[in-house]
């Protein structure tokens, strides 16, 4: 044979085998063959989350012997990756033992144990219902699935990486709830473009958190399948000793461990390329998570040093997306819409095949039940007929002739023990027959109506999102200005002059301080955000952050990133996340910023319609928090504001309820109470309704923004209809009354799902901070709204009054 021809043919076969059978994931279930075989074999072994762990070596042996004829180390490496919470957004294997860290490898397979995690059950569900094709394994003795049913978009949620021959793939993790919401939107609107889908999936969401700097690369990757962006560690600046400050690292870029960062910093310090660091200590543990403390020398500007750390160490890393996956056995580069479309089409086919299987099973069972009903009517004659028959064949023929039964029905009756046949209840059989007919009819409706089939897939995705959805961990920043001037080793004093400033909180949870609002353009909205709270303060003072659990957190203003004057229309992209300053409880959120200098009182409203005015507590050295209201079980604060002493008696308080009513009344009708009081009735609520917003409307120039929608929809996915109205159109009513109707609901809407009252003009943004245009103010108090261009995540207004 010709050597060149043999080499060419053999290499092409090898390359195809690596691409198709080893390195690249399938676009439908997002799994490589080895990962698919591990999950399938573990499911066959019954290693469910409610069962005990087994040795990893046993799993590897079963997979290698039955399905994957390759080395045990490759199988164990894939098993380990499926169990690492710092690698996958939703780990598919529940590992017991040392499965490694970003700095260290795992223990040997003989020391670790494993079982399936809950998300893996969603990938392998219904495998026994003919939902996917099966093919023979490598030796023809076993059968394995070509693809798993995959009840969620695993490829986008957990990402993938692989190196084939002449090509490679790198996909980053995403938030499961966001990706599923985008898939449901694509089901409802098959022609949706990437921009619409990015309203649901604004960017990647890494297991370790971090901050993505600049979203242009993300948009390019979503549109073309290729792109890159910068992922930065999440840091804060705190006092580590009474005289020294330090940089606290709580989240690192993907695949970066604290030991790698410490080693790099030590190398730079020894090489005299980095100055101003006195010590680096890793205080991470299993309970509090990552905490890397970089202690600074006296007189060093932490912002300037942090910028150098980002530039010289792995605290900032470049992430590349190269979304290559197999589509019908062929490698293709896929954008966000393509990936979601492949999953949606696969899931529709899975649900269709499952419905056919279940309908066939139900039809077969109904046929048997109808035969039993026919025989049980005259059970004595059936028994006598069987006894009088010479053999089973004669008994079957006589049953078919006398009772007009099919061969299947007659065989089923003959095979059944007599004691079971006599115990059957006619009522139970008729009930079962009715249930089967209903099930067959419902499955037939799904199979015969494409809209019903797509709706069933969408509803199942919503259920999966409710079970697997978690809060976003990675912060998305459209762009960030340098935190310090360029130049090597700039040294500056850490002392800050005590000057008036305004503290701002954005809709994406960023805190910053800026100079007082004096003249010029008072539009403080950033290109990708809205300001939801503002408070006057001084740079050396403190402010209070009012939360939904009824407590105030005291924060030092000097710790917030400084911004240019608001008159210059700054961006809050350089703000710091509120989570860097406050340890919030699950589901707790910051509602307002209030002064703590004794010049104002606090007014707040709760979900159950309670209103309260109280003096704002003074900061204490004993605790970083102070409680200001006693809440009933299930209640929470939904709105808060501060009332300056100079105009507190002339101010008004307002409530918007989910029933569609707006009430405002003089603040003077609410007496000031102590912090231990529970407040008083603020608004009357109809049954099953709650307060959507409670805050202070400045009647002169104030606007009311209401968003009506379906309260049963998945949060963040309901488009609804929005309406803007001047507050002066609504007459004031007494405290404790229903208020005035403020919006008429459209078909499919059952209440107000979001509202805002404040100084106009009002502005809105998506949950990721993308601006949304609001309609012009309407002069109709009880009119209907208009659908926005995307689901509204936050509403803010003018800061001129501040």
């Amino acid at each position: 044979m010709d050597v060149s021809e043999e080499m060419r043919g053999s290499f092409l076969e090898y390359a195809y085998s690596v691409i198709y059978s080893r390195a690249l994931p399938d676009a439908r279930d997002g799994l490589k063959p080895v990962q698919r075989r591990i999950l399938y074999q573990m499911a066959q072994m019954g290693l469910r989350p409610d069962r005990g762990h087994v040795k990893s070596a046993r799993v590897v042996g079963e997979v290698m012997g039955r399905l994957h004829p390759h080395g045990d180390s490759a199988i164990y490496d894939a098993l380990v990756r499926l169990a690492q919470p710092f690698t996958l957004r939703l780990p598919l294997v529940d590992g017991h033992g040392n499965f490694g860290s970003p700095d260290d490898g795992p223990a040997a397979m003989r020391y670790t144990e494993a079982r399936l995690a809950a998300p893996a059950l969603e990938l392998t569900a219904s495998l026994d219902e003919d939902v996917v094709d099966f093919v023979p394994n490598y030796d023809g003795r076993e059968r394995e699935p070509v693809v798993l049913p995959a009840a969620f978009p695993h490829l986008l949620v957990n990402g993938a990486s692989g190196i084939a021959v002449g090509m490679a793939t790198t996909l980053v993790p995403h938030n499961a709830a966001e990706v599923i919401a985008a898939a449901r939107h694509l089901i409802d609107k098959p022609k949706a473009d990437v921009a619409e889908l990015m309203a649901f999936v604004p960017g990647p969401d890494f297991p370790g958190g971090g901050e993505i700097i600049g979203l242009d690369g993300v948009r390019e990757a979503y549109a073309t399948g290729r792109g890159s962006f910068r992922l930065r560690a999440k840091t804060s600046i705190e006092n580590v000793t009474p005289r020294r400050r330090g940089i606290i690292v709580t989240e690192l870029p993907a695949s970066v461990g604290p030991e790698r960062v410490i080693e790099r910093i030590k190398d730079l310090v020894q090489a005299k390329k980095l100055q101003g660091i006195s010590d680096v200590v890793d205080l991470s543990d299993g309970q509090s998570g990552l905490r890397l403390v970089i202690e600074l020398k006296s007189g060093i500007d932490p912002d300037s040093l942090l910028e150098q750390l980002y530039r010289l160490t792995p605290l900032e890393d470049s992430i590349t997306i190269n979304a290559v996956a197999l589509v019908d056995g062929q490698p293709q580069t896929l954008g966000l819409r393509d990936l979601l479309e492949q999953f949606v089409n696969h899931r529709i086919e899975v649900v269709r095949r499952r419905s056919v299987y279940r309908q066939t099973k139900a039809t077969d069972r109904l046929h048997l039940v109808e035969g039993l009903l026919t025989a049980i009517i005259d059970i004595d004659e059936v028994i006598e007929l069987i006894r009088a028959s010479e053999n089973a064949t004669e008994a079957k023929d006589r049953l078919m002739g006398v009772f007009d039964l099919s061969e299947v029905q007659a065989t089923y009756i003959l095979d059944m023990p007599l004691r079971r046949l006599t115990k059957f209840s006619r009522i139970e059989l008729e009930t079962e027959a009715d249930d089967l007919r209903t099930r067959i009819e419902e499955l037939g409706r799904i199979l015969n109506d494409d809209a019903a089939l797509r709706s069933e897939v969408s509803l199942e995705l919503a259920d999966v999102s409710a079970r697997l959805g978690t809060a976003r961990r990675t912060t998305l920043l459209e762009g960030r200005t340098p935190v310090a001037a360029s130049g090597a080793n700039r040294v500056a004093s850490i002392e800050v002059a005590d000057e008036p400033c305004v503290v701002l909180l954005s809709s994406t949870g960023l805190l910053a301080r800026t100079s007082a609002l004096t003249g010029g353009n008072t539009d403080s909205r950033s290109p990708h955000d809205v300001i939801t709270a503002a408070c006057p303060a001084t740079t050396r003072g403190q402010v209070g952050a009012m939360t939904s659990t009824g407590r105030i957190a005291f924060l030092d203003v000097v710790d917030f990133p400084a911004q240019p004057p608001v008159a210059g229309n700054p961006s809050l992209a350089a703000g710091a996340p509120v989570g860097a300053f406050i340890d919030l409880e699950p589901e707790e959120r910051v509602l307002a910023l209030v002064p703590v200098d004794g010049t104002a009182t606090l007014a707040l409203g709760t979900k159950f319609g309670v209103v309260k005015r109280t003096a704002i507590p003074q900061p204490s050295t004993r605790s970083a928090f102070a409680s200001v209201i006693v809440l009933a079980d299930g209640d929470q604060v939904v709105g808060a504001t501060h009332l300056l002493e100079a105009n507190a008696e002339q101010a008004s308080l307002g409530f918007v309820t989910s029933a569609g009513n707006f009430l405002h009344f003089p603040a003077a009708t609410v007496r000031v109470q102590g912090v231990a009081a529970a407040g008083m009735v603020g608004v009357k609520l109809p049954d099953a309704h709650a307060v959507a917003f409670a805050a202070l409307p400045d009647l002169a120039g104030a606007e009311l923004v209401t968003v009506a929608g379906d309260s049963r929809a998945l949060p963040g996915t309901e488009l609804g209809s929005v309406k803007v109205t001047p507050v002066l159109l609504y007459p004031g009513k007494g405290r404790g009354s229903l208020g005035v109707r403020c919006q008429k609901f459209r078909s499919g809407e059952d209440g107000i799902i979001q509202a805002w009252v404040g100084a106009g003009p009002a502005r809105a943004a998506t949950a990721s901070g993308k601006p949304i245009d609001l309609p012009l103010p309407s002069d109709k108090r009880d009119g209907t709204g208009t659908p926005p261009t995307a689901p509204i995540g936050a509403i803010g207004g003018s800061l001129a009054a501040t």
Side-chain angles (χ1 to χ4, degrees):
M1 63 181 67
D2 184 76
V3 174
S4 61
E5 290 296 329
E6 175 63 20
M7 290 293 293
R8 184 179 297 107
S10 297
F11 185 81
L12 287 177
E13 290 183 8
Y14 162 73
Y16 179 76
S17 176
V18 172
I19 292 171
Y20 182 74
S21 301
R22 299 186 70 173
L24 298 185
D26 193 292
R28 295 169 292 179
D29 63 3
L31 295 169
K32 300 179 185 179
V34 63
Q35 297 171 327
R36 186 179 305 113
R37 288 163 177 167
I38 289 173
L39 297 179
Y40 173 69
Q41 188 59 44
M42 291 181 73
Q44 293 298 102
M45 296 169 64
L47 303 181
R48 298 173 55 84
D50 55 352
R51 307 284 178 83
H53 295 79
V54 302
K55 286 290 185 181
S56 299
R58 179 183 170 189
V59 176
V60 172
E62 290 287 331
V63 173
M64 183 170 57
R66 292 177 177 271
L67 304 174
H68 198 67
H70 299 283
D72 57 348
S73 61
I75 299 174
Y76 185 55
D77 288 345
L79 176 66
V80 166
R81 187 180 186 276
L82 293 176
Q84 291 177 333
F86 54 86
T87 300
L88 301 188
R89 192 61 177 81
L90 291 179
L92 303 179
V93 171
D94 178 13
H96 181 67
N98 178 15
F99 276 81
S101 70
D103 291 310
D104 299 308
M109 70 178 79
R110 60 182 178 273
Y111 298 121
T112 61
E113 298 178 342
R115 64 183 178 189
L116 290 177
L121 300 183
E122 307 292 347
L123 295 180
T124 58
S126 304
L127 269 174
D128 57 346
E129 295 184 295
D130 191 33
V131 293
V132 295
D133 294 332
F134 279 71
V135 295
N137 70 332
Y138 66 91
D139 62 2
R141 298 180 182 180
E142 306 274 350
R143 295 183 65 80
E144 61 176 315
V146 176
V147 66
L148 293 186
F152 66 91
H154 172 263
L155 188 56
L156 279 167
V157 172
N158 277 333
S161 62
I163 300 176
V165 179
M167 64 183 65
T169 182
T170 305
L171 290 103
V172 295
H174 291 78
N175 185 273
E178 295 176 354
V179 172
I180 292 175
R184 296 186 66 198
H185 181 74
L186 189 62
I187 291 173
D188 295 336
K189 297 182 179 179
K191 296 184 179 180
D193 56 17
V194 174
E196 291 182 54
L197 297 176
M198 282 194 67
F200 301 94
V201 187
D205 187 23
F206 291 90
E211 299 175 342
I212 293 178
I213 310 301
L215 299 181
D216 290 341
V218 175
R219 296 190 187 95
E220 182 181 2
Y222 286 168
T224 66
R226 298 177 185 269
S228 63
F229 55 88
R230 306 292 295 181
L231 182 62
R232 176 175 289 186
K234 188 169 290 187
T235 61
S236 61
I237 299 173
E238 301 178 8
N239 289 327
V240 295
T241 69
R243 294 180 176 272
R244 288 186 177 178
R245 310 195 80 183
I247 298 172
I248 311 300
V249 181
T250 55
E251 296 176 6
L252 287 171
S255 302
V256 175
E259 292 184 11
R260 178 181 165 192
V261 175
I262 293 174
E263 183 179 358
R264 177 59 178 165
I265 290 176
K266 289 182 177 180
D267 291 342
L268 290 171
V269 171
Q270 292 175 359
K272 306 295 184 181
K273 295 182 180 179
L274 194 62
Q275 299 180 6
I277 296 177
S278 61
D279 196 9
V280 183
V281 183
D282 185 8
L283 301 180
S284 307
D285 57 48
Q287 295 181 349
S288 60
L290 176 68
R291 184 174 176 84
L292 186 63
V293 180
I294 304 173
E295 187 175 335
L296 309 182
K297 295 179 180 179
S298 299
I300 298 299
D301 179 17
D303 289 335
S304 174
L305 182 60
L306 183 58
E307 184 67 19
Q308 296 182 52
L309 290 172
Y310 284 143
R311 180 166 49 87
L312 300 175
T313 72
L315 289 181
E316 183 173 296
D317 196 11
S318 178
I319 305 295
T320 300
I321 297 177
N322 183 27
V324 178
L326 295 175
V327 178
D328 297 329
Q330 302 295 322
Q332 294 185 15
T333 302
L334 306 172
L336 174 63
R337 188 187 185 284
D338 301 323
L339 290 168
L340 287 172
E341 187 175 36
Q342 289 295 321
F343 166 76
V344 168
N345 293 339
H346 170 60
R347 194 59 195 168
I348 290 174
E349 178 63 15
V350 165
V351 174
R352 187 194 65 79
R353 292 181 59 165
R354 186 190 65 196
S355 300
V356 171
Y357 178 87
R358 291 178 177 178
Q359 187 184 52
T360 302
K361 284 288 186 181
T363 303
D364 293 343
R365 176 59 184 170
L366 178 61
H367 186 61
L368 296 177
V369 170
E370 289 174 343
L372 287 173
L373 281 170
T374 302
I376 206 172
I377 294 175
D378 198 349
I379 187 65
D380 294 334
E381 185 178 351
V382 171
I383 295 173
E384 184 63 29
L385 186 149
I386 295 173
R387 291 178 59 187
S389 301
E390 294 292 335
N391 50 50
T393 303
E394 181 182 348
K396 180 177 67 174
D397 293 339
R398 294 181 67 184
L399 283 174
M400 293 169 60
V402 174
F403 295 98
D404 194 21
L405 299 175
S406 68
E407 183 176 354
V408 174
Q409 292 171 326
T411 302
Y412 181 71
I413 294 172
L414 286 174
D415 291 342
M416 183 177 296
L418 183 61
R419 64 178 181 273
R420 289 188 57 196
L421 186 61
T422 56
K423 285 185 177 181
F424 274 119
S425 167
R426 180 177 179 180
I427 296 178
E428 292 178 357
L429 289 174
E430 289 178 346
T431 302
E432 183 182 359
D434 291 339
D435 292 340
L436 289 169
R437 292 188 187 98
T438 302
R439 191 185 313 170
I440 292 170
E441 181 180 355
E442 176 63 21
L443 292 170
R445 183 184 66 84
I446 293 175
L447 291 171
N448 297 327
D449 185 355
D450 182 67
L453 176 60
R454 300 177 75 90
S455 176
E456 179 68 17
V457 174
S458 181
L459 290 175
E460 291 183 5
L461 284 173
D463 292 339
V464 173
S465 178
R467 291 192 295 270
L468 302 182
T470 57
R472 166 171 281 276
R473 299 176 186 175
T474 301
T475 304
L476 304 177
L477 304 178
E478 183 68 44
R480 172 174 287 194
T481 55
V483 298
S486 59
N489 307 326
R490 183 171 65 91
V491 179
S493 172
I494 63 173
E495 293 296 326
V496 178
D498 193 16
E499 300 175 344
C501 65
V502 178
V503 180
L504 306 175
L505 174 65
S506 76
S507 63
T508 51
L510 299 178
L511 277 170
R513 58 181 168 88
T514 185
S515 59
L517 304 175
T518 54
N521 178 16
T522 59
D523 181 0
S524 63
R525 182 192 195 190
S526 79
H528 72 289
D529 216 341
V530 296
I531 305 302
T532 56
C535 175
T538 62
T539 52
R540 299 290 297 277
Q542 288 185 312
V543 294
M546 182 69 208
T547 75
S548 57
T549 60
R551 61 177 186 165
I552 289 180
F554 302 110
L555 308 175
D556 294 324
V557 177
V558 70
D559 291 337
F560 303 153
Q563 298 291 306
V566 170
N569 191 23
S571 165
L572 274 194
V578 67
F581 306 99
I582 310 174
D583 292 328
L584 297 175
E585 298 175 354
E587 307 301 328
E588 184 180 19
R589 54 195 179 91
V590 175
L591 301 174
L593 301 173
V594 296
V596 293
D597 55 3
T599 61
T601 58
L602 175 67
L604 55 85
T606 76
K607 177 181 176 182
F608 291 170
V610 174
V611 65
K612 181 179 180 180
R613 285 182 61 197
T614 185
I616 300 176
Q618 295 300 300
S620 171
T621 58
R622 296 189 300 271
S623 175
F625 292 91
S627 178
V628 294
I629 186 173
V630 177
L631 294 171
D633 291 342
D635 200 4
Q636 62 178 342
V637 179
V638 294
T641 189
H642 60 275
L643 305 178
L644 297 176
E645 295 291 347
N647 58 0
E649 299 305 316
Q650 289 76 38
S652 297
L653 299 178
F655 285 85
V656 182
T657 70
S658 59
N661 296 328
F662 172 54
L663 169 67
H664 68 86
F665 50 85
T669 60
V670 182
R671 68 179 184 276
V672 178
Q673 297 178 306
V675 294
M680 59 187 69
V681 176
V683 62
K684 184 177 181 181
L685 292 174
D687 292 340
H689 284 281
V691 172
F693 187 86
L696 168 73
D698 182 1
L699 299 185
E703 291 182 346
L704 167 65
V705 182
T706 53
V707 183
D710 187 350
S711 60
R712 299 165 299 178
L714 189 68
T717 63
E718 175 70 359
L719 195 62
S721 60
V722 60
K723 176 173 173 282
V724 182
T725 318
V727 171
L728 289 176
L729 291 179
Y730 300 91
K733 299 289 183 180
R735 179 180 60 82
S737 61
L738 282 172
V740 180
R741 188 75 175 172
C742 63
Q743 184 164 348
K744 184 183 298 183
F745 300 147
R746 293 170 172 262
S747 176
E749 299 174 346
D750 60 2
I752 300 296
I753 58 176
Q754 193 174 5
W756 177 87
V757 187
R763 297 170 175 85
T766 65
S768 61
K770 180 181 179 180
I772 298 176
D773 292 330
L774 291 175
L776 295 175
S778 170
D779 58 356
K780 295 182 180 180
R781 292 190 310 197
D782 192 17
T784 57
T786 57
T789 56
I792 294 178
I795 308 172
S798 171
L799 298 182
T802 309

